[in-house]
């Protein structure tokens, strides 16, 4: 009998060290005149169930892997048919026993055969570079082991020149899904093993520029920049535009234009050493903590940011350059000026784009140990000296790789890793290595190691207290600037309350902005489900659709939340009365010379005149009153009228074309005339029907059945909506989880009791009580119908009965139409809006298909309401409201919407269900943050509202 013992070669998997054999970290640069070979493409792949299931013979030249699968690198094997992804927010998907990992440890062996290109120099060395491998890799070239490494989203390089052959080279990489490094990588995202970033072979000629540090500061008083490029190799720095040719390491001061996120001025240069010419893109800027504020080039900045995970619905975290550029362009076009690279350094090409197009960057280290919160942070690696070398290695690999990017203004130690000595060591190392930037870490509430006070999801009241300096804490903390590194949880319908936060940021200097969580939904394309989320792959532990909490849908289409955010953070504010507008420049650095302004005049939502508006080139923070032209004289004056003023790009830019809209404002002139119906028609009772003007009602129940030739079904009071992710709330906030509270009360199963049908002299009155079973609360509801012979008016009166302790989801009427394909309306649009998410709702006339009114949230939920609607036309009916109302139409019921787990569960029916709401409960962001503010909660209180129906 024989026994197989554990291979000693696998001991590195559970070693807390960062690895062995890799070169020291250095600055990343995408190209030089030295040759390079991309090893991306099709690799041979074999998956094993454990770390020791196979021997190492596959790494030897001549190994026959012809029966192995093909795998695309960069890529994740679980997204290419080998195993399955796992989603957890913070729970480790394996037993917590650091640094041990399970025996069941999916291990992918990768093989790549390659030849050196023609003309590859015979002299000099070579480096093999991996830009990202999850979570632990062991590497061989031509049968010689190079070493192993951990640190999934960080670069690792190996010296390989002495091993290369002109042809027939064999690169072998063994990748383990779980390792000691996994304990440091418990970020809220999918667990996706594989070689997911580029693999490159770089020629290293003698005298090459291995590492260099570009120091480019700016003096806002003198307007001069000081440049010094420290280089490992001797060389010269050439910047032709500045007429500079200086030795590396020599400082030089010249007049320059500074770099900012608003004006991303870059100077092209070259670092020329004996063996290599490296292109430089130099941005002059100075970051400082001064008088309790984060300042760039002498001015405080206000971050209007997002947290960005790297994501693509087909390739996961393996992003191509086009996708990265699309992200930055979308951010710029939606007025976003900052990004936190949650929770790891991004692909380095993304930072090149931030330099080029202009974004402030908080560059975050690849570190999170959130799962240790389940045991009160006991055994947390960041407070265990054995792990400190790994932490310092991760900090160094981030800083050294990204130090030459002007867009990076803040280093972040990581995320949700508790506190401990290891974090202090990281902060001390970073401060010593790079004094030109600030250091962030949200978990350091005393700000011992950081240069700013940072929080997640603090509610509006607390943020205001912090802004006023009433937050307590240490004296050091109170002297530091404040940012919300995460807020406005963008999960499903929402986030709500953005405008209320922004008012605080603009009121208190100490509040220097915030970063929405997060940029994109991490839905995975699925042939049956549309987009899959946690639990759809049979995970043992998962956190459901909590992974879909972005401002973009997985296909990178903007959500209503992104459009709301764009409006809330617009760089120009336009307010006013009927004769003038007040224009304010809300930018930090740029004046308004790059913008053009246009006005338009609307009557009943329809534009009848337009023109240009001359606005001075206001400097940041400056305002001006700008007179509007005289109202058009040839339009009737009995309708609702208003001005709309837009701020547009005057010329093409690198990120958007001429005419791109940055901001807008509307100014009311004449108010809306209210719809009236003279009650002249008496109801006529027949044996089966009651007729009233154009309408027919059931004589027994008083239920409306038709208006003119339009069939209407099941018209009744409605208070239920399919709870949003924010209605459902977070498990740790049970007191305000409205979805649960509503279901507990029974608002999803309301009963309608008929009390009376009264056909009076000029009105049909139907009295009902609407209430949930098993509860004493109810809503006494009266429907009063009147007509002038052509139009039909419904007045609904609602009186709460009993002790209502929770707000209502909605309050209005719902009915079905047998045919309705398109909708025209005068009100807010073009997209959805709710009480605390309607800053971007522009009043006007809109038209859309019923299907286009639906917002495709990955998990179906309440969506699609249009706000402040004056009238709507669909299915042969015109509906006017008094007061304005919320309008929703869809081809499935609210109950069907509530029951759906994926969009593919929603099957359109023959009936279009229409909601006309007098009120809607706010949205908030309680899927992780605060719920709706009090002013946006829909209290159960007496209400009366009317609708006027006219058949075509």
């Amino acid at each position: 009998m024989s026994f197989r013992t554990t291979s000693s070669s696998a001991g590195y998997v559970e070693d807390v060290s960062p690895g062995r054999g890799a070169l020291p970290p250095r600055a990343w640069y995408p190209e030089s005149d030295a040759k390079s070979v991309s090893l991306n493409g099709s690799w041979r792949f074999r998956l094993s169930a454990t770390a020791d299931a196979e021997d190492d013979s596959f790494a030897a030249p001549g190994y026959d892997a012809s029966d192995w699968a093909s795998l695309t690198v960069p890529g994740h094997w679980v997204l290419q048919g080998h195993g399955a992804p796992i989603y957890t927010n913070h729970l480790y998907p394996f037993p917590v026993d650091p640094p041990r990992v399970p025996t069941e440890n999916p291990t992918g062996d990768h093989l790549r055969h390659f030849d050196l290109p023609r003309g590859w120099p015979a002299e000099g060395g070579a480096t093999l570079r991996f830009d990202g491998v999850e979570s632990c890799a062991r590497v061989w070239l031509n049968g010689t082991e190079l070493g192993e490494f951990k640190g999934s989203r960080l670069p690792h390089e190996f010296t390989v020149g002495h091993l290369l052959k002109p042809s027939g080279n064999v690169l072998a990489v063994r990748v383990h899904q779980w390792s000691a490094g996994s304990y440091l990588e418990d970020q809220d995202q999918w667990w996706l093993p594989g070689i997911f970033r580029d693999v490159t072979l770089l020629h290293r000629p003698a005298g090459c520029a291995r590492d260099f540090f570009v120091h480019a500061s700016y003096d806002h008083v003198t307007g001069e920049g000081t440049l010094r490029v420290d280089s490992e190799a001797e060389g010269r720095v050439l910047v032709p535009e500045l007429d500079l040719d200086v030795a590396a390491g020599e400082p030089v001061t010249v007049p320059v234009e500074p770099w900012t996120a608003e004006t991303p001025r870059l100077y092209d240069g070259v670092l020329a050493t004996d063996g290599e010419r490296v292109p430089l893109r130099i941005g002059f800027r100075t970051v400082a903590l001064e008088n309790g504020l984060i300042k760039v080039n002498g001015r405080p900045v206000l971050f209007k940011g997002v947290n960005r995970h790297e994501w693509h619905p087909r390739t996961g975290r393996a992003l191509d350059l086009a996708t990265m550029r699309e992200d930055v362009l979308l951010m710029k076009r939606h007025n976003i000026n900052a990004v936190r690279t949650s929770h790891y350094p991004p692909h380095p090409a993304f930072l090149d784009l931030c330099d080029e197009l202009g974004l402030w960057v908080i560059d975050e280290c690849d570190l999170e140990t959130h799962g240790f919160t389940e045991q009160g942070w006991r055994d947390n690696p960041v407070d265990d000296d054995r792990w400190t070398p790994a932490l310092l290695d991760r900090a160094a690999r981030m800083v050294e790789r990204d130090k030459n990017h002007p867009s990076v203004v803040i280093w972040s130690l990581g995320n949700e890793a508790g506190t401990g000595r290891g974090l202090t060591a990281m902060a001390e190392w970073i401060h010593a290595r790079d004094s030109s930037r600030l250091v962030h870490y949200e978990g350091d509430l005393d700000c011992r190691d950081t240069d700013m006070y940072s929080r997640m999801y603090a509610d509006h009241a607390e943020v205001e207290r912090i802004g006023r300096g009433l937050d307590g804490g240490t004296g050091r903390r109170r002297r530091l600037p404040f940012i919300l590194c995460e807020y406005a949880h963008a999960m499903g319908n929402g986030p709500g309350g953005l405008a209320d936060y922004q008012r605080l940021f603009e009121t208190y200097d100490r509040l220097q902005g915030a970063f929405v969580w997060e940029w994109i939904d991490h839905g995975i394309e699925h042939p049956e489900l549309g987009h899959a989320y946690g639990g759809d792959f049979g995970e043992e532990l998962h956190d459901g659709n909590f992974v879909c909490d972005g401002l973009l849908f997985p296909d990178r289409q903007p959500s209503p939340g992104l459009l709301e955010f764009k409006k809330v953070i617009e760089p120009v504010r336009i307010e006013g009365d009927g004769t003038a507008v007040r224009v304010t420049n809300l930018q930090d650095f740029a004046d308004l010379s790059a913008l053009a302004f246009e006005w338009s005049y609307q009557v009943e939502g329809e534009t009848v005149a337009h023109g240009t508006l001359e606005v001075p080139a206001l400097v940041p923070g400056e305002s001006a009153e700008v007179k509007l032209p005289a109202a058009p004289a040839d339009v009737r004056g009995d309708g609702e009228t208003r001005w709309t003023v837009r701020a547009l790009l005057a010329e093409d830019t690198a990120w958007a074309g001429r005419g791109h809209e940055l901001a807008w404002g509307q100014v009311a002139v004449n108010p809306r005339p209210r719809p009236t119906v003279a009650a002249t028609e008496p109801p006529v009772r027949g044996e089966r029907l009651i007729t009233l003007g154009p309408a027919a009602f059931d004589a027994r129940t008083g239920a409306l059945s038709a208006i003119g030739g339009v069939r209407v079904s099941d018209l009744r009071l409605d208070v239920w909506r399919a709870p949003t992710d924010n209605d459902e709330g977070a498990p740790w906030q049970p007191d305000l989880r409205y979805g649960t509270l509503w279901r507990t009360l029974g608002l999803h199963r309301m009963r309608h009791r008929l009390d009376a049908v009264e056909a009076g002299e000029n009105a049909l009155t139907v009295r009902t009580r609407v209430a949930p079973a098993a509860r004493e609360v109810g809503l006494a509801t009266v429907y009063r119908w009147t007509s002038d012979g052509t139009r039909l008016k419904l007045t609904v009166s609602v009186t709460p009965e009993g002790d209502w302790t929770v707000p209502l989801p909605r309050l209005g009427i719902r009915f079905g139409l047998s045919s309705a394909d398109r909708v025209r309306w005068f009100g807010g649009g073009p997209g959805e809006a709710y009480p605390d998410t309607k800053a971007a709702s522009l009043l006007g006339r809109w038209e859309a298909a019923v299907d286009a009114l639906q917002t495709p949230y990955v998990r179906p939920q309440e969506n699609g309401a249009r706000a402040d609607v004056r009238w709507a036309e669909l299915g042969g009916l015109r509906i006017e409201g008094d007061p304005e109302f919320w309008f929703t139409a869809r081809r499935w019921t609210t109950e069907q919407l509530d029951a759906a787990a994926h969009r593919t569960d929603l099957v359109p029916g023959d009936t279009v269900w229409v909601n006309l709401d007098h009120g809607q409960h706010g949205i908030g962001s309680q899927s992780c943050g605060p719920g709706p503010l009090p002013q946006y909660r829909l209290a159960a209180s007496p209400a009366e509202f009317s609708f006027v129906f006219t058949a075509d």
Side-chain angles (χ1 to χ4, degrees), residues 572-574 581-585 592 597 615 618 622-624 626:
V572 180
R573 178 155 302 132
I574 302 168
V581 290
R582 183 172 183 82
V583 178
T584 303
N585 182 359
L592 298 188
F597 291 80
V615 174
L618 303 172
E622 188 178 12
S623 299
V626 181

Side-chain angles (χ1 to χ4, degrees), residues 496-676:
L498 283 169
D500 306 274
Y501 273 117
Q502 196 65 25
R503 280 190 287 271
L504 296 173
F505 302 151
E506 294 173 8
T507 299
Y508 299 100
D509 291 342
R510 186 189 182 194
L511 308 180
Q512 293 203 249
F515 296 77
V516 170
W517 185 268
E518 63 158 308
W519 176 237
I520 187 169
D521 287 344
H522 300 200
I524 294 176
E525 281 193 7
H526 192 285
E528 298 171 1
L529 303 177
H531 286 108
Y533 49 77
D536 289 333
F537 297 96
E539 298 101 309
E540 179 183 34
L541 295 173
H542 66 85
D543 287 282
N545 68 310
F546 200 70
V547 76
C548 295
D549 46 14
L551 294 171
L552 294 181
F553 297 123
D555 61 1
R556 278 182 164 72
Q557 292 302 305
S559 74
L562 180 56
L563 302 180
E564 177 81 356
F565 192 42
K566 175 187 177 182
K567 173 61 179 170
V568 166
I569 61 173
E570 59 191 1
V572 180
R573 178 155 302 132
I574 302 168
E575 303 167 307
D577 54 27
T579 61
V581 290
R582 183 172 183 82
V583 178
T584 303
N585 182 359
L586 298 177
Q587 298 178 107
D588 294 325
F589 296 93
D591 64 23
L592 298 188
S593 59
L595 305 185
F597 291 80
E598 294 182 355
W599 62 265
S600 58
Y601 190 77
Q602 288 83 37
V603 177
E604 291 293 302
E606 190 168 14
T607 296
V608 298
H610 60 87
T612 60
L613 191 68
E614 293 298 321
V615 174
L618 303 172
V619 299
E622 188 178 12
S623 299
E625 296 285 338
V626 181
K627 188 172 178 59
L628 291 165
D634 56 346
V635 300
R636 69 183 191 275
D638 59 346
E640 182 177 3
T641 57
R642 69 185 60 249
W643 297 95
T644 300
V645 176
R646 291 180 167 87
L648 316 170
L649 286 179
E651 303 293 342
D652 290 347
T653 70
W655 49 270
R658 180 177 181 270
H660 170 77
E661 181 182 281
L662 282 83
W664 57 266
Q666 289 191 304
V667 178
V669 181
N670 294 325
R672 171 200 180 205
R674 299 294 174 178
T676 59

Side-chain angles (χ1 to χ4, degrees), residues 155-466:
H156 295 85
E157 293 182 327
F158 297 91
T159 297
V160 296
H162 59 295
L163 300 174
L164 290 173
K165 302 183 295 184
S167 62
N169 293 284
V170 180
L171 175 58
V173 185
R174 172 164 285 174
V175 180
H176 307 284
Q177 174 156 18
W178 310 124
S179 70
S182 301
Y183 285 99
L184 304 179
E185 296 173 3
D186 189 28
Q187 293 97 334
D188 175 8
Q189 60 182 352
W190 294 95
W191 297 88
L192 298 174
I195 305 172
F196 68 96
R197 287 185 185 160
D198 305 291
V199 183
T200 311
L201 181 68
L202 304 164
H203 180 240
R204 297 288 76 206
C208 65
R210 202 196 78 82
D211 190 22
F212 56 90
F213 197 162
V214 177
H215 303 272
S217 61
Y218 178 72
D219 187 328
H220 66 280
V221 176
T222 65
E224 294 177 320
T226 298
L227 175 66
R228 189 185 81 243
V229 179
D230 295 334
S231 174
E232 236 180 62
E234 291 186 1
R236 298 197 68 79
V237 177
L238 297 85
V239 186
E241 190 176 355
L242 297 175
D243 196 26
L244 289 182
D245 182 349
V246 298
E250 178 182 334
V252 58
T253 300
V254 292
V256 296
E257 298 174 43
W259 188 97
T260 74
E262 295 166 7
T263 56
R265 181 66 160 93
L266 293 173
Y267 291 88
D268 290 325
V270 174
L271 171 61
T273 69
D274 288 344
E276 188 175 20
R277 292 176 63 88
V278 180
L280 306 176
R281 303 209 76 190
I282 303 165
F284 292 88
R285 57 108 186 93
T286 296
V287 182
L289 179 62
E290 184 178 306
N291 298 324
L293 297 175
I294 301 167
K295 293 186 178 181
V296 178
N297 302 337
R299 296 186 62 87
V301 295
L302 182 61
F303 296 118
K304 303 170 182 178
V306 293
N307 286 274
R308 175 188 176 268
H309 270 296
E310 295 183 301
W311 187 251
H312 190 282
R314 291 189 301 276
T315 62
R317 284 189 288 278
L319 299 189
D320 59 12
L321 185 59
T323 299
M324 290 184 264
R325 179 173 286 273
E326 183 180 1
D327 276 350
V328 177
L329 292 177
L330 281 168
M331 290 177 190
K332 293 290 291 187
R333 291 169 185 167
H334 289 87
N335 295 330
I336 290 163
N337 73 359
V339 59
R340 175 180 175 227
T341 69
S342 54
H343 297 295
Y344 42 82
H347 190 292
F350 178 78
L351 298 179
D352 281 344
L353 293 167
C354 295
D355 295 341
E356 173 192 340
L357 298 171
L359 287 171
W360 308 116
V361 175
I362 297 180
D363 197 355
E364 192 148 272
C365 195
D366 189 9
L367 172 62
E368 181 167 334
T369 63
H370 199 177
F372 285 91
T373 189
E374 293 293 310
Q375 55 203 58
W377 296 108
R378 187 175 61 257
D379 297 327
N380 186 6
V382 305
D383 201 28
D384 184 335
D385 292 338
R386 295 175 300 167
W387 294 81
T388 299
L391 302 181
L392 290 173
D393 180 76
R394 289 170 184 249
R397 291 188 181 279
M398 171 183 70
V399 170
E400 301 296 1
R401 192 196 74 169
D402 298 341
K403 62 197 173 195
N404 294 329
H405 289 283
S407 58
V408 176
V409 293
I410 296 171
W411 302 116
S412 179
L413 303 181
N415 183 69
E416 292 176 322
T419 58
R421 301 184 298 276
L423 289 166
T424 297
M426 294 170 70
E428 290 174 348
W429 185 90
I430 293 173
H431 276 121
R433 176 59 176 145
D434 180 19
S435 62
S436 69
R437 294 177 174 94
L438 306 180
V439 171
H440 164 271
Y441 178 66
E442 182 268 343
D444 183 12
L445 295 181
D446 291 332
C447 303
R448 179 184 62 181
D449 300 323
T450 59
D451 299 309
M452 62 206 69
Y453 178 30
S454 176
R455 288 285 304 283
M456 296 179 181
Y457 306 109
D459 63 25
H460 299 76
E462 183 178 3
V463 170
E464 181 162 22
R465 289 195 299 273
I466 292 169

Side-chain angles (χ1 to χ4, degrees), residues 9 12 17-23 137-138 145-150 158:
S9 65
Y12 64 88
S17 73
R20 60 181 179 84
L23 291 167
R138 186 180 176 197
E145 183 173 351
L146 304 179
E148 77 274 341
F149 60 88
K150 307 178 189 77
F158 297 91

